[in-house]
Amino acid sequence: MTRNDKTLGEVTIFDVAREAGVSYATVSRVINNKDHVRPDKRERVLRAMTRLGYVVNQQARSLAGGKSQVVGLLVPGVDSGYIGEIIRGVDEELTNASYDLMLYTSHQRKTRESTYVATLTQGLADGLLLVLPRAPGAYIETLRQRRFPFVLIDHQGIDEQGPSVGATNWQGGYDATNYLLTLGHRRIGFITGALDLRCSTDRLAGYQAALEAAGIAFDASLVMTGDFMQPQGYSGAHALLMLPNRPTAIVVSNDVMAFGAMEAVRENGLRIPADISIVGFDDIPQASHVHPLLTTIRQPLEEMGRVATRMLLELIANPADEAARIELPTELIIRSSCRSLM
């Protein structure tokens, strides 16, 4: 039999078994990455699958009572180093566990997010990883009632009992601001992330706490609302620079917006750090390649992906396990985008 004898959708596991000259059980063990298959037989099965164009029907396999060996990953987009580093950690852990990754991007659309979650839970995936979900309230309770394994990444506070992995966002906001205070800065601007996300409000709260600890009154005019996208970093910094008494430093809630802020500073004829200091948040790979090199708060993004994936695989294997909530430590990374005023 050749691939031309059957259409792609008609090829079955029994066809593969006949083509390879092995039993149906042997083909099943190969497909499910099980042990106890002789190397020569495994090779014959894989070659037969290639010749016939056989593709595993993950949904049918799941509905038949097995595991799909697939984890769904829902992200807002794939256009930033932040997401890329998390995906790197997720992918490596899944590869080690012989799982496949099914990636969906919501582009920050709440209705699309809910639709994708519904699709993935209909037998396509054994569990879900949700990075910065925007509308988890619409489906978290349903996932819990169905005992469908899921883990939230970088979105504390939405589901206080649910499994999640994040970073010490409050401490990161505090450390960024306190570093500038130790350099002698007293008028420090702040550009927030999207304020419907707990990580954003935590970073803002850390900024406020550092000012309070230094005896500096909070000035709302120095806070600009952003959305984690570069244009908002640019517009927020431009607005701060237009103030009659402009800040001498700006804390930006992620590196991507910090790049926009740096562009705004240069377009206003100012120098970094001679005229204004900037601190970012995340420490994505690009932060160590811009000019000047960006001082930032490092989130262990790849490790967050790894830890969340290991947590999810444990929940898939043991659904009765109690959900864990893990916060990994942030770290101040000092480079050359800040200067001392003392």
Side-chain angles (χ1 to χ4, degrees):
M1 183 189 298
T2 67
R3 182 171 178 170
N4 292 330
D5 294 323
K6 282 178 176 266
T7 63
L8 183 63
E10 293 175 334
V11 178
T12 69
I13 192 172
F14 301 103
D15 297 324
V16 174
R18 283 194 295 270
E19 179 77 5
V22 299
S23 69
Y24 159 79
T26 297
V27 176
S28 178
R29 284 195 291 271
V30 171
I31 290 173
N32 288 284
N33 296 311
K34 300 296 185 182
D35 298 327
H36 311 301
V37 179
R38 282 181 10 211
D40 62 318
K41 286 190 175 182
R42 186 181 298 275
E43 182 64 23
R44 281 157 52 193
V45 170
L46 294 173
R47 287 179 178 175
M49 291 171 64
T50 300
R51 285 196 300 270
L52 298 178
Y54 176 77
V55 178
V56 179
N57 187 330
Q58 303 285 13
Q59 188 172 21
R61 201 166 95 191
S62 177
L63 292 173
K67 297 291 187 183
S68 70
Q69 293 297 118
V70 170
V71 160
L73 174 62
L74 182 62
V75 300
V78 291
D79 54 351
S80 74
Y82 163 86
I83 294 294
E85 289 299 295
I86 291 176
I87 291 177
R88 186 198 307 275
V90 171
D91 184 58
E92 290 187 6
E93 286 296 323
L94 290 180
T95 298
N96 292 339
S98 299
Y99 262 77
D100 291 323
L101 174 65
M102 187 174 291
L103 177 66
Y104 280 76
T105 56
S106 67
H107 300 288
Q108 301 185 1
R109 298 178 185 175
K110 296 180 180 180
T111 54
R112 179 176 290 185
E113 183 176 296
S114 296
T115 298
Y116 287 160
V117 169
T119 299
L120 286 163
T121 57
Q122 296 302 313
L124 289 180
D126 296 333
L128 283 175
L129 294 168
L130 303 155
V131 182
L132 285 175
R134 304 306 294 267
Y139 49 78
I140 288 294
E141 188 56 36
T142 300
L143 292 175
R144 184 182 289 112
Q145 289 175 357
R146 293 179 53 191
R147 303 184 70 82
F148 191 89
F150 70 93
V151 176
L152 301 172
I153 301 177
D154 206 6
H155 200 315
Q156 307 92 326
I158 291 298
D159 181 33
E160 295 295 348
Q161 287 75 47
S164 68
V165 175
T168 53
N169 288 293
W170 184 95
Q171 189 64 52
Y174 184 98
D175 290 345
T177 309
N178 187 61
Y179 172 63
L180 292 169
L181 290 167
T182 63
L183 295 179
H185 295 274
R186 292 296 179 265
R187 191 161 174 79
I188 302 170
F190 190 89
I191 302 176
T192 77
L195 291 175
D196 60 334
L197 297 174
R198 176 67 175 269
C199 57
S200 298
T201 57
D202 281 353
R203 292 171 197 179
L204 175 59
Y207 159 79
Q208 293 173 297
L211 293 177
E212 182 179 357
I216 298 173
F218 172 70
D219 183 349
S221 71
L222 290 175
V223 176
M224 299 295 162
T225 302
D227 60 1
F228 290 131
M229 305 299 287
Q230 189 162 333
Q232 286 295 309
Y234 175 90
S235 60
H238 181 75
L240 289 169
L241 296 175
M242 292 300 102
L243 293 174
N245 184 15
R246 71 171 184 242
T248 61
I250 305 174
V251 175
V252 190
S253 289
N254 76 337
D255 292 343
V256 172
M257 286 196 300
F259 301 152
M262 295 170 81
E263 182 182 355
V265 171
R266 285 190 287 265
E267 287 194 5
N268 278 276
L270 301 174
R271 297 164 298 164
I272 306 167
D275 298 311
I276 190 161
S277 296
I278 293 181
V279 180
F281 205 112
D282 283 340
D283 194 28
I284 62 176
Q286 297 93 317
S288 59
H289 297 289
V290 294
H291 179 75
L293 306 183
L294 182 64
T295 293
T296 188
I297 298 295
R298 175 177 292 165
Q299 283 201 96
L301 298 172
E302 183 177 340
E303 184 65 13
M304 286 163 61
R306 287 182 178 277
V307 170
T309 303
R310 290 196 292 265
M311 185 186 299
L312 181 65
L313 293 174
E314 284 292 327
L315 289 172
I316 291 171
N318 304 289
D321 283 1
E322 289 189 12
R325 297 178 60 79
I326 296 175
E327 279 194 350
L328 300 176
T330 53
E331 177 187 2
L332 174 66
I333 304 299
I334 299 174
R335 296 195 178 101
S336 53
S337 63
C338 301
R339 80 175 184 98
S340 174
L341 299 184
M342 296 186 295

